[in-house]
Amino acid sequence: MNAPLPTHLLSPQDTVADIDPQETAEWRDAFVALVATEGPERARLILAELVHLARTQQIGWQPQLNTPYVNTVAVQNQPVFPGDLAVEERLASIMRWNALAMVVRANQADLGGSSELGGHIASYASAADLFESGFNHFFRAREGLGEGQHRGDLVFFQPHSAPGVYARAFLEGRLSEQDLMHYRQELTAPAAGAQGLCSYPHPWLMPDFWQFPTGSMGIGPISSIYHARFMRYLTHRNLLNCEGRNEAGGHTAKRRVWGVFGDGEMDEPESMSALTLAAREGLDNLVWVVNCNLQRLDGPVRGNGRIIDELERLFAGAGWNVVKLVWGSDWDGLFARDLTGALVRTLQGTVDGQMQTFAAKDGRFNRDNFFGQSPELAALAQGMTDEQIDRLKRGGHDLVKIHAAYAAAAAHKGQPTVILAHTKKGYGMGTAGQGKMTTHSQKKLHDSDLIEFRNRFNLPLTDAQATGLAFYKPAEDSPEMQYLRRHRQQLGGYLPRRETVCDALPVPAIESYAQFALQADGKEMSTTMAFVRMLGTLLKDAQLGPRIVPIVADEARTFGMANLFKQVGIYSSVGQRYAPEDIGSVLSYREALDGQILEEGISEAGAIASWTAAATSYSVHGLAMLPFYIYYSMFGFQRVGDAIWAAADQRARGFLLGATSGRTTLGGEGLQHQDGSSHLVAATIPNCKAYDPAYAGEMAVIIDAGMREMVTEQRDVFYYVTLMNENYAQPDLPAGATEGVLRGCYVFRSYQRLMGGRESPISSKYVTLMGSGAILTEVVKAAELLAAEGVEVTVLSVTSWSELARDGVACEQRALSGEAEHGTPWLTQQLAGTAGPVIAATDYVRAVPETVRAFVPEGRRYITLGTDGFGRSDTRAALRQFFGVDAQTVAKAARFALGL
């Protein structure tokens, strides 16, 4: 049964035959003697010297990144366990039962559930002890926002383990039994006087409970890294002390970011994409616990290899401190008696697929098939009963070992730490699910399985209570309840807990930073240039300026933001250790410890994670920050749309600036860069307000309103604003246009036929043209062409198709519900003062303007023009003609609608 590891998983030195074992033994003995007489520090120096020598001699050797398949924290180095082990084990068993009961009840019709609700038992069964050790000894809650008060650790919970977190909250008195009975029944819960419990951590659905959304695999890991880095950013900019020191010389506990993630989740690219950032920044405030239960949803994670070894190589190579938590205390005696090394060698050669089989089988099977592989192993198992063999714990199920690993991680300096915790998926589920291929989808258990689970964890339940899935809560004065509350009080209170208390920020008057845009007087500029100018002025504001977080993904120069390098600097945790090549130029590159710009390199996933950390600072840290992340609009919702959705779930507040937006404004870049769909996707996010302003004055009004809504009124919305890199004449913002700009459209201008240098009011032909963003300039040209032909034209500037659509739908819903004052859609009101057919043109796919068709007044023909299809490389004029959104095509569509 002991399958050797594939040769591609072995280092070259593992595959070379030893031609002189006696000499090898002498070298080994010499090194052991060195450690014994001179100590570990001297031994490390000698090893480093030998590694250097090997490289200079070019012998083609390098140290392995894998350590033996045993615990990193040796028995003799374990700290004394600070708690009551028996009580903590009982508490963990109770959590496991209530979590199991919650999921199974939800899927049993006779208990008010439905088999369609789903849920997960096995993941939390494997992670319960990992969670409980954190809750009892490490995860700190927010004490308050005052000087010297701990503002709380950040904890990212494995999403499939959410039932276990609810189970603990039930014992804490934060959730009722009725709440647990309405797991995944959020809509029907209120009728029963209960709070419905969402499937995974969702701050939007449970805004006082969950802090971070982790339900989409990979988003939690990368988010945790950037949250940890943002804490350093706040500290280095002297905005908030997250390092545990205060000005008076006193200390509070250091704030940490903890993440409990799955080993299968590490396959997601986002999980791995920022590992080197965490190491490069020396984020020793970050601890990951990877629950290595060896199984994904359908089967083993690395059936033919070992995921713990793979992850150890990956994290160590990236610069992380790796703590392996592989075997429980019951194995200590076996390792101590293993004088020949047979046990370590056998474990080293056992692949995960086989280890999963051992987890699914009983003690007798493991005696015969694991310990029976050699006489040495069989001798180790002598004197052990089959039940004792069956109960040999993996490290992630041993509270003493877990505490030792967590303590080592918390004490480590200079590096982020990952704890690779070996567990069994479905631990304790016995023949119903432990280690089985189908365990992830296990939702129902037979009566015999429930009684077996009850017996396995010595739960004080009768057979009737067990088969009836009764929730269990010890008496309020029981040792368990007193212990649980006391430990959480010592750690600042209950977790998870989301809080939103923070000071409102004043926003300066719009005239102080955007007067040039409101009264542009025909000056030529792009809306991107106008935005950067506004941002530069806002950064100088004494109150708001320090809270602004400019974010770019290595595109600052592209978007004309290089002038900010000198003004506020680029954040670097080590300052600037070099003289930049352009040091003598006006726009030279400047990094600084207190730099304000977050320059995230070529990583949209990293940049949006960084934006999320800043955009949720008001709830995570009690400190409102205002991030502005500017990027190619094509690489926003299309490339990292899932991360933006998670940010929306987390109730982010900030600005996303989609630059070079539209399919025809970025002429030469072609198909991969030209955006025709971001506004379509943005419209699907309920708390995202998306705008496509054509002029600088419109954009100024939108930015001003967004700032006030997010940091002054403190509403849970964020703004997506698209910007263009095309220079054209910028008109003054028409008087009274502010409301229309914010609601989605306004009458920009009316055009009549010119006769003798003056406008003629006489016309029997009317048409209304609507345009947004870059294409509004083409619509205006089309209006001039039509007016010259005797057509009276009204042009509406559409700043937000999605806001118009939402407003219209809201009016419809109020009407359908029978409300007398249901209102008239804003678009309908604006078109009421116009006449003729309506032509709408955008730089986006036609589906964008089609979203408002229902709110065009009845009887008015509505024709939409857009940029459907793939982009091309050419000039703007050629592209607009190709897609049919240029002035001539808009005018042609109007003539067609008029029958001309």
Side-chain angles (χ1 to χ4, degrees), residues 242-433:
C242 298
E243 294 299 306
R245 296 180 295 274
N246 61 43
E247 291 76 2
H251 289 75
T252 59
K254 184 176 185 174
R255 295 182 68 198
R256 300 186 183 281
V257 179
W258 298 85
V260 183
F261 308 118
D263 48 358
E265 186 174 3
M266 294 301 105
D267 286 343
E268 287 286 3
E270 291 87 355
S271 297
M272 300 287 100
S273 64
L275 294 186
T276 54
L277 171 88
R280 186 170 65 248
E281 296 286 312
L283 297 179
D284 54 14
N285 60 344
L286 175 66
V287 179
W288 279 14
V289 182
V290 180
N291 177 21
C292 297
N293 59 29
L294 313 186
Q295 288 185 242
R296 292 186 298 231
L297 278 64
D298 293 333
V301 177
R302 294 291 183 272
N304 296 305
R306 281 207 307 273
I307 187 61
I308 289 180
D309 281 352
E310 179 181 325
L311 293 178
E312 182 183 25
R313 290 192 298 271
L314 179 66
F315 280 92
W320 286 53
N321 174 45
V322 180
V323 176
K324 289 164 75 170
L325 173 59
V326 190
W327 308 112
S329 300
D330 293 340
W331 289 83
D332 290 342
L334 295 174
F335 286 119
R337 300 198 305 273
D338 180 29
L339 302 180
T340 66
L343 179 57
V344 174
R345 286 195 303 273
T346 302
L347 292 171
Q348 194 79 11
T350 303
V351 295
D352 283 353
Q354 191 62 45
M355 198 67 75
Q356 180 188 346
T357 300
F358 293 144
K361 302 298 184 179
D362 60 14
R364 169 54 63 180
F365 180 92
N366 283 281
R367 179 190 297 279
D368 295 341
N369 293 276
F370 179 77
F371 289 103
Q373 294 180 78
S374 70
E376 295 90 347
L377 290 181
L380 288 177
Q382 283 181 356
M384 297 178 69
T385 66
D386 290 347
E387 183 180 8
Q388 287 175 317
I389 292 175
D390 189 45
R391 291 198 173 217
L392 284 171
K393 289 181 179 178
R394 297 182 182 177
H397 301 306
D398 188 310
L399 294 172
V400 173
K401 297 293 187 182
I402 297 169
H403 178 272
Y406 282 23
H412 190 76
K413 305 294 183 185
Q415 293 172 288
T417 293
V418 60
I419 298 170
L420 303 177
H422 194 192
T423 66
K424 295 180 181 179
K425 192 158 189 176
Y427 179 66
M429 292 174 67
T431 57

Side-chain angles (χ1 to χ4, degrees), residues 19 29 218 253 263 265 275 282 308 347 367 369 396 400 486 499 557 579 651 713 723 757 797 870 900:
I19 61 173
D29 292 342
D263 48 358
E265 186 174 3
L275 294 186
I308 289 180
L347 292 171
R367 179 190 297 279
N369 293 276
V400 173
R486 182 171 64 254
E499 301 181 66
R557 297 184 193 275
R651 297 171 175 259
E713 300 169 14
L723 307 174
S797 174
F870 287 117
L900 299 178

